[in-house]
Amino acid sequence: MNTKMSKGKLENIGRQLDDYGAEILSLTVNGLGYAIIGILYEIDKKIFWEKIHSQELGLYLLIIVFIASIWIGNRIIKKRKSLSIIENEKSELGKKVQQLENDIDILLAQQSDFFKVLLSNLFYKLDLNANERISIYKHEKDKFLILGRYSSNPELKKIRRKVYEEGEGFINKAWISETGELEIPQLPDYESDKRVYYKNICEVHPISKEVFNDIRMKSRCYYLKAITSHNNIDRIAVIVFESSTINRFDNQQINDILEAEERMIVTFVSNMKSMYSNSDLAQKMGF
C-alpha cells in the first residue's frame, strides 16, 4: 500500500513538473540567481583564492541569469500560445461535436417517425383497436431494446421500459423458441382478480410482484414473433402484439401481413439504432 502511495505521489509530482516546469525553473533561476548576485556584490572582495573579484563574478552571473530568464520566458510564452491554440481547437471541436449530436438527434427523430408510420400501417392492416398495440424490440448484445411502439390509444403508445434483459420475459421465450413464436391467447381479466392474473402470468414466466405492478398494460392476449435478417440466418428482433381482449389475434393473418411487409421491416430493424442504446438501463423485468 505504501508503495502504491509513493508511486502515486511521484506520478503527481511528475505531472506538476510537466505542467509547470518552465514556471518553476523561472522562479528558481531568478530568485536564487539574483540572491547570489546580491550576496556577491555585498561581499565586494576577491574570492576563490583571491583570483576573481566577487562583483566581477556577480556581473557574469547577472548576464547568465538575464540570458536564462529570456530563454525561459520565451519557452513560457510558446507554451502559453500552444495552450491557447489547443483551447481554441478544443472549443471548435466541442462545437462540431455538439452539431453532430444535434444532427444525430434529428436523424433519430426522423427514424422514429418513419418507423411509427410502418407500425401504424401494420396496426390498421390488422384492424386493431385502441385496446391493442404493437411493439418491436431489437436484440443488441445481451439485451432487447425497444425500437418503436404504436397504438391508436395515446396511453398505450407510451414507452416506459426501454430495455429488457436477455433471458427475461415473454420476449425471450419467443426469441429462443424453435419456431420463433409465442402465443398466449387467453389470460384472466386483471380487474376481476389480480391474484389469479398474476398467477397465470407467472405460469408462463415467473415475474416479481414489484415488476408486475409496474406494468401499465395488463394484456389478456399476446402474440410474439421473431424477425430474421434478410438472409434468414439470424434472428434480429421480436415483434409483440398485445390486446386486452382474449383470443384476439389471427396468427395466420399476422404472418401473412408480416411476410408482405418483411423486406421493409427487416431493413428498418437492421439499420435503425435504438433510441435508448446509450440510456441508463431500465430495471430488470419480464412481461
Side-chain angles (χ1 to χ4, degrees), residues 237-248:
V238 174
I239 186 166
V240 181
F241 299 88
E242 300 175 66
S243 176
S244 299
T245 305
I246 62 172
N247 300 313
R248 177 66 177 89

Side-chain angles (χ1 to χ4, degrees), residues 120-242:
S120 66
N121 185 46
L122 290 176
F123 188 89
Y124 291 110
K125 277 188 175 183
L126 290 167
D127 197 26
L128 302 185
N129 59 49
N131 293 318
E132 290 144 1
R133 70 183 181 188
I134 305 174
S135 307
I136 292 187
Y137 297 86
K138 185 176 183 179
H139 186 261
E140 292 186 4
K141 296 181 180 178
D142 57 348
K143 295 175 176 62
F144 295 99
L145 295 92
I146 192 163
L147 289 183
R149 169 174 289 160
Y150 184 78
S151 173
S152 57
N153 185 331
E155 283 301 310
L156 298 185
K157 190 163 56 177
K158 290 179 181 177
I159 295 173
R160 294 177 67 185
R161 295 189 175 275
K162 301 155 187 165
V163 180
Y164 293 76
E165 297 287 345
E166 189 178 73
E168 294 182 331
F170 294 175
I171 297 172
N172 190 69
K173 278 188 171 290
W175 179 258
I176 64 174
S177 72
E178 185 177 350
T179 61
E181 295 175 282
L182 176 65
E183 181 184 8
I184 306 169
Q186 187 171 332
L187 286 169
D189 179 36
Y190 173 74
E191 296 300 331
S192 297
D193 196 327
K194 295 178 175 60
R195 286 184 297 178
V196 172
Y197 182 89
Y198 176 64
K199 180 182 177 183
N200 276 257
I201 287 287
C202 289
E203 286 174 356
V204 180
H205 174 75
I207 182 173
S208 72
K209 241 338 181 13
E210 182 182 0
V211 171
F212 171 76
N213 291 333
D214 200 37
I215 298 174
R216 176 185 283 115
M217 185 174 179
K218 303 296 193 294
S219 300
R220 300 187 66 190
C221 181
Y222 288 91
Y223 179 66
L224 297 86
K225 184 175 179 64
I227 297 170
T228 58
S229 58
H230 283 301
N231 54 19
N232 291 319
I233 294 176
D234 299 312
R235 293 177 181 177
I236 58 175
V238 174
I239 186 166
V240 181
F241 299 88
E242 300 175 66

Side-chain angles (χ1 to χ4, degrees), residues 72-106:
I72 295 169
N74 186 52
R75 296 282 296 180
I76 291 172
I77 290 170
K78 285 183 178 179
K79 187 182 80 170
R80 287 178 178 171
K81 283 183 178 179
S82 297
L83 289 173
S84 177
I85 291 169
I86 291 170
E87 285 297 322
N88 289 335
E89 289 177 349
K90 183 179 176 182
S91 177
E92 288 301 315
L93 286 172
K95 291 177 182 177
K96 289 180 181 178
V97 168
Q98 184 61 52
Q99 184 59 51
L100 286 172
E101 288 178 348
N102 292 339
D103 291 343
I104 288 170
D105 288 340
I106 292 169

